[in-house]
Amino acid sequence: MAASRVLPLRAQRTQRIENKGFISATSAAKFFAFPTCSVHFVAAMNFDYDVAIIGGAFSGAATALMLKRKRPEACILIIEKTAEFDRKVGESTTEVSSCYMTRILGLTHYLGHHQLAKQGLRLWFSNRPDQRFDDCVEVGTRYQSRLPSFQVDRAKLDSHILDLAVQAGCDLWRPAKVTNLELNNGNGQKVSTVLDGGERTVRARWVIDATGRATMFARKLGHLRPNTEHPINAVWARFTDVKEWDSYEWRQRFPDYANDCRTAREWATNHLFGRGWWLWIIPLHGGDVSAGIVYDSRIFKLPEGRSLGQRLHDHILSNPVGREIFGAARVIEGDVHALSMLPYHSEKVCGDGWATVGDAAGFIDPLYSPGLDACSYTSYYVADLLARSLAGEDVTERLRHYNQQYPITYRYWFESLYKDKYYYMGDADLMSAALLLDVSSYYLGLVRAVYRDPECAFLNLPFTGIGGRFARNAMRFYGRRLVALANRRWATGYYGKRNAGWRELYDGFVPDTRIRKQISRGLRRWWKCELINIGLMLRRRTTVSADQVSAAATEAG
């Protein structure tokens, strides 16, 4: 990584010449004729930078890189608080975020050589701790994924994108802690930092919040809104000595399991499910495995234990699939993390002179890995907005649209995919129906659009327009029905009864008319659950009637 640069090179030389009284700042800038920044703009407006970005991880670095490509003469500063990125949670990309990274950012070569190719989602269900592994329910794809996606080590990915931004001409202050922020709309924003043991202050026309869950602007401006309707928490760690999903040993022990699948289960994002919780298992380049539980505190409590890592490991071992995979695994010391109340959003995401991107704008739930999708949409939209502003265009309407649409997108995304999902995710019938319908809707609404015209699609936040509202209402309807079915199953003791003895491996998802096959499969699974629900209702009524007759006979006697 390049060393920290306190001021742009032009500004450093200009400042030294001014201090010695030789020539003015404007004359010095013209004399040295530095190509990286807009000399006229910075000098005329008395700004040190056109744009200052607080946060150098994925969202901040991607925004800087895209802005530099759209506006090469822009003078951009990235302020990153850490000397190096720590190993964040092992993360899966989706087809949408992978499209952004490959087709927009141009990271295909890097991802192929330094990260792992992902082979879709794979879901596992069980209904008792002593269940045989090959009796557990498996739902997933039979063949390799049709579109690229990846299992990424975020520390490596973030560092690479930040390197690209610096190579493109962005300045980097690192490690630099922001101590004060003044937002003055079109008059320029002022950011004060501690860098190399001293105070440094910079003025910029635009300042971007890419601070992730720190949500600097939302907290400062009072726009942060926790999502109390979705009280989920997470605990995760990295493990070594995790068993291979496609080993020779397993082929000998479970030949049907091995022969049914044509792709490598090892490279999928494997999920274990129970009522109120799910657990991810993500392989990382180099051999470590990221595993973590996300749970709804209304329904599930993580069992007590000696340490947080041991509690997570014990819970994994209580599941028959987890026990097979993690029986000999060890938690990597010092690499255990936890977060409570994961979901939140900022009620306002931009103003004249400032904007938020990525997790600084909001976060919902890690199931289906939507985090980098949101980062992709917001970073590209804001980069385009700033490029237009620096070119002299009036961006008032674009600011208004971003402020108006982001909370709608957040709300629709939450209500469509995640609201009360934890009530039914432990039932294989219900969750497999949801998976097929959820992913098919995702392919129809988002994946197809970004692959058809990525530059255009990433300028439109999800769930916009009439089509977005229709998709939201349809998904919300079947989601609410699945919750109702789950509650009746739980009340009648039928919940998870079919979490044994079957495996559903389908061809996979594609962003064209062939997706109808998966939609039909998902609808049939849902409607079958509705028929079972009618039977449960009738059984309950029969039981109640029998009890009433018995009570009446007793009273008569």
Side-chain angles (χ1 to χ4, degrees), residues 457-514:
F458 281 111
L459 290 177
N460 295 286
L461 298 181
F463 295 103
T464 57
I466 297 175
R469 288 193 295 272
F470 175 81
R472 173 251 188 168
N473 290 333
M475 297 172 71
R476 185 182 179 191
F477 175 75
Y478 73 69
R480 291 168 66 179
R481 284 303 306 156
L482 293 174
V483 172
L485 299 179
N487 289 338
R488 186 173 302 281
R489 288 186 173 209
W490 184 256
T492 58
Y494 194 81
Y495 192 98
K497 283 287 187 181
R498 284 187 24 86
N499 287 11
W502 57 282
R503 179 178 296 120
E504 182 173 55
L505 303 180
Y506 41 81
D507 292 347
F509 297 89
V510 287
D512 57 36
T513 56
R514 287 172 290 176

Side-chain angles (χ1 to χ4, degrees), residues 14-40:
T14 300
Q15 188 177 66
R16 287 197 295 267
I17 292 173
E18 270 196 287
N19 292 340
K20 294 180 179 180
F22 293 148
I23 55 178
S24 68
T26 303
S27 299
K30 290 179 178 178
F31 175 79
F32 287 108
F34 294 101
T36 57
C37 301
S38 174
V39 174
H40 173 73

Side-chain angles (χ1 to χ4, degrees), residues 218 243 270 302 389 394 406 447 480:
K243 185 181 292 186
N270 285 278
L302 189 65
S389 173
D394 183 358
Y406 182 84
V447 177
R480 291 168 66 179

Side-chain angles (χ1 to χ4, degrees), residues 222-233:
H223 299 318
L224 185 63
R225 300 291 181 267
N227 186 347
T228 56
E229 297 177 71
H230 196 51
I232 58 171
N233 310 302

Side-chain angles (χ1 to χ4, degrees), residues 431-478:
M431 188 60 198
S432 61
L435 172 75
L436 290 163
L437 295 175
D438 290 346
V439 177
S440 295
S441 301
Y442 177 73
Y443 264 69
L444 283 175
L446 301 185
V447 177
R448 189 167 59 169
V450 298
Y451 273 95
R452 183 190 302 122
D453 187 352
E455 286 80 3
C456 177
F458 281 111
L459 290 177
N460 295 286
L461 298 181
F463 295 103
T464 57
I466 297 175
R469 288 193 295 272
F470 175 81
R472 173 251 188 168
N473 290 333
M475 297 172 71
R476 185 182 179 191
F477 175 75
Y478 73 69

Side-chain angles (χ1 to χ4, degrees), residues 87 114-116 151 153 156 238-245 266-267 281-291 325-326 329-330 332:
R87 297 188 71 188
H114 300 281
Q115 306 287 354
L116 296 179
Q151 313 282 22
D153 186 323
K156 295 179 180 178
R238 284 179 182 80
F239 291 80
T240 60
D241 299 327
V242 177
K243 185 181 292 186
E244 299 176 11
W245 291 85
E266 177 92 6
W267 310 127
I281 303 172
I282 296 176
L284 297 175
H285 197 276
D288 294 348
V289 173
S290 170
I325 298 293
F326 286 84
R330 294 179 294 108
I332 297 177

